[in-house]
Amino acid sequence: MDAFVCAGCEAVLSAPVARVALPVHARQRWGHSLMPVLMEPGTCAVDPEPGGPPGAAVSAPGDLPGTVLLPERCDGCRGSAGGDGPNLACLRCGLPVATRVDDCG
């Protein structure tokens, strides 16, 4: 198990996570209904597809206790769609480090 660290100050950003395969439902779109959980706590996956950022890691939001949400960068109608770029910052140094996507679309 490994943890994600900040590229700026090397602070630990995540809980220990184990790498697993990206779930098959990762690319499904549901509209305005609840979607299933993408990642279970304690796991992460790497997105191999060019449709999203290739090589981007995905994890459960609760596994990133070393980050803080940047509300001014949350652009969705019911959450964050990720269109405004990184919206999570390192809790220690403030460097934008990740993009949380939890919007309905």
Side-chain angles (χ1 to χ4, degrees):
M1 294 191 121
D2 292 310
F4 292 102
V5 297
C6 177
C9 71
E10 298 185 0
V12 175
L13 301 173
S14 74
V17 291
R19 188 168 168 181
V20 298
L22 188 68
V24 294
H25 65 278
R27 303 239 180 269
Q28 291 178 335
R29 300 288 184 239
W30 297 87
H32 285 86
S33 62
L34 294 176
M35 295 176 68
V37 172
L38 179 59
M39 299 303 297
E40 293 295 326
T43 65
C44 71
V46 174
D47 186 352
E49 296 294 323
V58 290
S59 65
D63 284 344
L64 297 171
T67 64
V68 62
L69 188 65
L70 301 171
E72 67 276 9
R73 291 214 175 153
C74 294
D75 60 340
C77 66
R78 295 186 181 189
S80 177
D84 286 344
N87 57 22
L88 291 175
C90 173
L91 191 59
R92 183 192 292 168
C93 73
L95 179 71
V97 293
T99 303
R100 180 174 175 154
V101 177
D102 60 5
D103 195 37
C104 57

